[in-house]
Amino acid sequence: MPRFSLNRRTFLRGAVGSAAFAFGLPALELMFDENGTAHADGTPLPVRFGLWFFGNGVRRQYWIPEAVGTGWTPREELQPFADAGVLSYLNVISGLEIKTPYHAHHSGMTGITTGAPMKVLGNVRDTIASTVSQPTIDVVAAQHFKGKTPYQSLELGVCNFTGTDEGTTFQYLSMNGPNDPNPSEYSAEKLYARLFGTSPNDPKFALATKARQSALDLVRTQIRALQKNVGTTDKHRLDQHFESIRSIETRLQLLGKNSCTTPSAPVDPMNVSGMEPIAEKNKLMSDMLAVALACDLSRVFSVCFETCGSGTYFWQSGANDGMHPMCHAAANDLVHKAVVFTMQQCAYLLAQLKATPEGAGNLLDNSSILITTEHSEGDTHTQDDFPILTAGKAGGALKTGVHYRSPDKENTTKALLSVLRAAGLPLTEFGTDEGKVTEGITAIES
Amino acid sequence: MLLCAAFFCSCTGNIGDPSGAAVPSLGVNGASGSSAASGASGSGNGSDGDAGSQDKLVPAPPALSRLTVSQYRNSIADLFGSAVNVPTDLEADTSLKGFTSIGAASVTIAATTAEKYEAAALDVAHQVFGDATQREKLVACKPASAADSCIRDYLASFGKRVWRRPLTGDELDSLAKLVSDVGDSFADPWTGLEYATAALLESPYFLFRVDHGEPDPGDATRRRYGDFEMASRLSYVLWDTTPDDALLAAAGRGELTTRAGLEREAKRLIASPRLRPALVRYFSENLALERLDTLSKDSAVYPDMSPTLPAAMRGELVHAFEHVVFDEDGDVRELIDSPKTFVNAELAKLYGIDVSELDGKSADTFVEVDSAPERRGLLTTAGILATYANTTSTSPTRRGKFVRTRLLCQEIMPPPPGVVTVLPPAEPNQTMRERLELHRTNALCATCHNLMDPIGLALEHFDGIGKFREKDGTAMLDVTGTLDGAAFDGALELASLVRTQPDFGPCIARQLYRFATGHVDDDGEQGVLDALSHDFDASGYRLKALVLALVTSDGFRYAGELD
């Protein structure tokens, strides 16, 4: 693969400025070649990029395999992947460290999702508030695939708890830039309506689509006009608004061409006596995500299973409190059980991707997924020995079955660079400031 | 984050990272007040407390504010009346530095957010234009074709309501073209109007409150907010919704850039019942009452905890606030030490008060009662006591920190990185005061914790959900302490002491200023804040008087340079 260095900002802004859209056809409409490893015209099957995030760290003694290299045996917290039949699609990366300036939760969350330092918003009130200083890796990947699918990326949420007072870092996963989140959809019904709710067969669909585009065109003109009259910060905020309007227009043009088989409509599971039906919600969201990826509605996803520092109450695994307070109370055995439950949910999604055929293989064969959290362990909030998994073979770009343990606390951003490269991004470096790296984890790159 | 603060403040144990072992410091947030607290050091906003520069106003740069969810919904309801069901699927607000208004001034519109706005706009427009009666009422004519002149009249008059300012000729042209393009393709002018109305609602001029500012014709050295900008500023702060016709008319007459005109309209809005929900929002956000929605308490430790108790706790606080501000227009400091409060049946039971008139009444029914003898005001309400406590225990640190940071606007830094923030397990019969002894004996912890723990320990007669207890386990309680040198014995004396703190009144003004302007005050606004505090004091601490002073102050009327 040819590699060249690209300044990340230029890369993102440059993509924003381009006027032409490259329309890709959904994979299902195309023929595969006779080996099932590429489309009939020789273009390789698309690689999907995913970020799957859970809050509050792990218990390392139950997470890190004893052996390194290949042939290791999973401990209890990774056993769910073996149970779901997807262990062979994983790499375990241990011993890496967040190198950016520390603040409990905040620096780990922003560091592991962007490769860059957090942006502190202030010390007002109980703690600090922060946001990212750079886009998160799913956004970076989405810019790469921009214009190829109706949805640039899909952002899903599972556990409902979100922070309220510590900035976007405690509220969101996917970020375009500082204070600029792509909020997750937490309702299975709404996700369904968004992805599968329009019916292009409606005779008025084409007319209505044209009318909607006319209105959106007008809105874009207004945004540009307004931008002439505001400060620098607001100009950037309106750039994002402009891009968002444009993404709706792209979708309107591509949706009519999509021939996805519509799955059956879900019903949001209700809380019972305050107990959140997490596994049921995770199943609905994961099932829909697999369908959406299979019919190429999007090539990028993020799953905010829980937010950073989440206080989700994992009654399913016998928790006696929210996850974050349990960590602080050093209820480590209960924390461990909650991590096992959480990994069962992650393994469910991976198993669904594996069960979705594509060409000669399956969706997981063609995915590059990073699975991680915001620090190593919740009782100490340390950000060395960071828990990181990769899942999927990325169409052959990722090795699998490897436990790579860093001998000298390498930079966590190396893992980000590896999974982005595996998804086809031509990057030779990633991250900024102390987070910047110029090499990936070579042990997992093919 | 719900429980972070308490634990951050428990700095027992070891410092893991010697290089990061900066001594935690307390800063008074803003240059006023000059708290007597030891360790006070400057402002969290970079102030050096230079009193000499206080009088010269340096206004904050103008910023776009995205409508909050309630502002969006109230605006739609006011624009379209009962004809429409107001959309509910909107992006949630972001609270920043304590207030959603500050979050609104920093958020943008991401792709999924834009989708929701588009869907909501199409939905509202379709509700109106899919109904022959409704659409004729709104447009005030029956257009024969997409070229009918009444269409432009509608776009001008309704567009002005939606965008909160007159539309330019170009803007009207482009909307009229949308009506005719879409109207022609559907062969129905109404459909053209439907999409043009949706476009008005999808526009950044509706979704953002556009504050830009203009040169002040009377003083070339400064910039002011224009008449229509002032209309929106007033209306969204005081009513949480779009300006009404009278306010837009006053803006059109150029009256909102005059002190007299501004004051007249501000008084009109303040006199309206619509002020009430807007100020309750300020009060709730300032005390972080949203945390009651996710209160986590161990029912084995607190058998009185129930799914309905948090709403009762919130109800007490909101009723008390509304009573002093709206029913009495009284001294708002009474909230801190009033001998009366409001309870529903469940709360009365928790407080051990017998209120026969609540027998059989629903959870929504609150009545004013004499507080239980051991309780006085805010600090002894279950809502505050439970919010600032842990799942299975009280937290004197969190309660003390609440008083310092929220009631006195002082800032306390989190402990340095690497501090193990877990208290050692309680030994048999050990009181909370004894468990917190490490905070005092370890010098590094003591710097901050001496500012917080003694305040919280005064409230140890109230458990983790705010229920009164004689003892902590089997031990008698020592609830004596000092606040910046002044001694107190127990919650009632603490309440009186907080009321007389020099930072207490100014802190109310400061938080309201942040809520109303959507930003955290900077040094250049200290003079305005001092003046507001002074007026607040002179008014006898009446909140409505403070609100009037605030929205007519230079800090609210004048704009900084664009950044």
Side-chain angles (χ1 to χ4, degrees), chain B residues 169-308:
Chain B
D170 284 351
E171 287 164 346
L172 282 173
D173 289 345
S174 61
L175 284 160
K177 183 170 183 303
L178 180 66
V179 176
S180 62
D181 286 353
V182 176
D184 289 350
S185 72
F186 278 83
D188 175 14
W190 287 116
T191 309
L193 280 161
E194 177 177 332
Y195 279 92
T197 303
L200 284 171
L201 298 174
E202 291 169 34
S203 170
Y205 296 118
F206 172 66
L207 298 174
F208 287 105
R209 292 164 48 196
V210 179
D211 271 343
H212 176 257
E214 63 188 23
D216 182 351
D219 180 352
T221 67
R222 61 183 184 182
R223 303 177 74 249
R224 67 178 189 186
Y225 289 110
D227 278 285
F228 286 97
E229 290 172 342
M230 284 306 296
S232 285
R233 286 171 75 79
L234 275 185
S235 187
Y236 280 106
V237 168
L238 299 178
W239 282 7
D240 211 28
T241 190
T242 193
D244 65 1
D245 286 328
L247 199 52
L248 289 176
R253 293 190 300 267
E255 293 171 0
L256 299 183
T257 45
T258 69
R259 173 166 285 282
L262 175 62
E263 191 166 311
R264 187 196 71 230
E265 284 302 311
K267 281 181 173 166
R268 177 174 73 83
L269 268 57
I270 288 170
S272 157
R274 301 195 72 169
L275 179 69
R276 190 179 284 239
L279 284 192
V280 166
R281 183 169 296 280
Y282 149 76
F283 175 73
S284 304
E285 291 191 18
N286 191 32
L287 297 187
L289 297 190
E290 77 279 355
R291 294 182 183 191
L292 286 170
D293 300 338
T294 51
L295 205 57
S296 165
K297 297 292 170 187
D298 188 333
S299 56
V301 180
Y302 302 115
D304 293 299
M305 188 61 193
S306 80
T308 50

Side-chain angles (χ1 to χ4, degrees), chain A residues 104-238:
Chain A
H105 296 279
H106 292 264
S107 51
M109 179 67 189
T110 51
I112 200 62
T113 54
T114 70
M118 63 182 168
K119 180 174 178 178
V120 178
L121 297 170
N123 280 321
V124 180
R125 310 232 297 194
D126 289 0
T127 174
I128 70 163
S130 78
T131 187
V132 296
S133 59
Q134 295 291 324
T136 50
I137 50 174
D138 57 308
V139 169
V140 173
Q143 291 289 344
H144 178 70
F145 295 118
K146 189 181 169 77
K148 293 194 165 64
T149 57
Y151 296 87
Q152 204 162 307
S153 65
L154 298 175
E155 295 85 22
L156 316 184
V158 179
C159 302
N160 282 315
F161 188 102
T162 57
T164 54
D165 208 14
E166 295 187 46
T168 61
T169 304
F170 272 61
Q171 286 178 293
Y172 302 103
L173 175 58
S174 176
M175 299 290 298
N176 299 306
N179 285 324
D180 186 1
N182 295 303
S184 298
E185 180 57 73
Y186 285 87
S187 160
E189 291 172 17
K190 287 179 186 169
L191 180 68
Y192 179 88
R194 181 173 179 228
L195 293 179
F196 308 110
T198 43
S199 51
N201 297 328
D202 184 328
K204 281 204 169 160
F205 180 83
L207 273 184
T209 298
K210 196 161 163 257
R212 284 172 68 186
Q213 285 192 338
S214 301
L216 292 165
D217 281 345
L218 206 54
V219 171
R220 278 204 284 131
T221 313
Q222 290 159 6
I223 294 171
R224 284 296 185 235
L226 177 56
Q227 280 185 310
K228 297 196 178 105
N229 228 0
V230 297
T232 317
T233 314
D234 286 343
K235 229 173 229 125
H236 288 307
R237 293 168 69 198
L238 289 168

Side-chain angles (χ1 to χ4, degrees), chain B residues 155-167:
Chain B
L155 293 172
S157 66
F158 194 63
K160 181 176 166 185
R161 285 296 319 275
V162 178
W163 289 2
R164 310 176 283 267
R165 62 163 174 84
L167 276 56

Side-chain angles (χ1 to χ4, degrees), chain A residues 102 121 123 125-126 166 172 180-181 183 194 212 214 222 229 231-234 237 244 251 309 321 324-325 328, chain B residues 1 3 64 91 94 97 104-105 107-111 115 118 203 212 296 391 401 406 411 413 417 422 563:
Chain A
Y102 178 87
L121 297 170
N123 280 321
R125 310 232 297 194
D126 289 0
E166 295 187 46
Y172 302 103
D180 186 1
R194 181 173 179 228
R212 284 172 68 186
S214 301
Q222 290 159 6
N229 228 0
T232 317
T233 314
D234 286 343
R237 293 168 69 198
S244 300
R251 184 163 317 144
D321 202 346
H324 186 229
H328 278 287
Chain B
M1 183 59 235
L3 291 170
L64 302 173
E91 199 46 61
T94 294
K97 301 173 183 178
V107 293
T108 174
I109 294 179
E115 273 182 57
E118 196 220 3
S203 170
H212 176 257
S296 165
T391 307
K401 189 167 190 188
R406 304 233 170 180
E411 193 175 328
M413 301 299 286
V422 180
D563 67 0

Side-chain angles (χ1 to χ4, degrees), chain A residues 89-371:
Chain A
Y89 282 83
L90 289 193
N91 291 313
V92 181
I93 301 171
S94 67
L96 306 190
E97 181 177 54
I98 298 276
K99 302 291 187 186
T100 54
Y102 178 87
H103 193 287
H105 296 279
H106 292 264
S107 51
M109 179 67 189
T110 51
I112 200 62
T113 54
T114 70
M118 63 182 168
K119 180 174 178 178
V120 178
L121 297 170
N123 280 321
V124 180
R125 310 232 297 194
D126 289 0
T127 174
I128 70 163
S130 78
T131 187
V132 296
S133 59
Q134 295 291 324
T136 50
I137 50 174
D138 57 308
V139 169
V140 173
Q143 291 289 344
H144 178 70
F145 295 118
K146 189 181 169 77
K148 293 194 165 64
T149 57
Y151 296 87
Q152 204 162 307
S153 65
L154 298 175
E155 295 85 22
L156 316 184
V158 179
C159 302
N160 282 315
F161 188 102
T162 57
T164 54
D165 208 14
E166 295 187 46
T168 61
T169 304
F170 272 61
Q171 286 178 293
Y172 302 103
L173 175 58
S174 176
M175 299 290 298
N176 299 306
N179 285 324
D180 186 1
N182 295 303
S184 298
E185 180 57 73
Y186 285 87
S187 160
E189 291 172 17
K190 287 179 186 169
L191 180 68
Y192 179 88
R194 181 173 179 228
L195 293 179
F196 308 110
T198 43
S199 51
N201 297 328
D202 184 328
K204 281 204 169 160
F205 180 83
L207 273 184
T209 298
K210 196 161 163 257
R212 284 172 68 186
Q213 285 192 338
S214 301
L216 292 165
D217 281 345
L218 206 54
V219 171
R220 278 204 284 131
T221 313
Q222 290 159 6
I223 294 171
R224 284 296 185 235
L226 177 56
Q227 280 185 310
K228 297 196 178 105
N229 228 0
V230 297
T232 317
T233 314
D234 286 343
K235 229 173 229 125
H236 288 307
R237 293 168 69 198
L238 289 168
D239 273 337
Q240 177 59 47
H241 189 197
F242 186 91
E243 273 311 297
S244 300
I245 298 299
R246 180 100 125 219
S247 76
I248 299 178
E249 295 189 87
T250 306
R251 184 163 317 144
L252 288 175
Q253 292 173 32
L254 292 182
L255 268 183
K257 302 176 183 176
N258 191 276
S259 63
C260 213
T261 306
T262 306
S264 56
V267 176
D268 280 323
M270 302 289 286
N271 286 10
V272 179
S273 307
M275 292 190 288
E276 201 179 351
I278 294 167
E280 291 76 4
K281 167 88 88 66
N282 181 70
K283 180 177 184 308
L284 292 174
M285 298 305 243
S286 301
D287 291 353
M288 270 190 285
L289 178 56
V291 174
L293 293 174
C295 48
D296 215 20
L297 289 179
S298 183
R299 293 187 187 170
V300 177
F301 67 91
S302 63
V303 176
C304 187
F305 180 74
E306 309 157 82
T307 50
C308 169
S310 164
T312 301
Y313 169 48
F314 288 110
W315 58 273
Q316 297 89 340
S317 60
N320 67 0
D321 202 346
M323 187 65 169
H324 186 229
M326 281 206 310
C327 289
H328 278 287
N332 290 338
D333 187 49
L334 295 177
V335 169
H336 160 60
K337 287 177 176 157
V339 174
V340 172
F341 172 77
T342 300
M343 289 306 113
Q344 286 166 352
Q345 310 315 306
C346 183
Y348 178 84
L349 171 64
L350 300 187
Q352 284 307 105
L353 298 181
K354 187 186 166 198
T356 306
E358 183 171 62
N362 61 61
L363 266 183
L364 196 51
D365 285 323
N366 297 317
S367 295
S368 172
I369 303 169
L370 186 80
I371 299 161

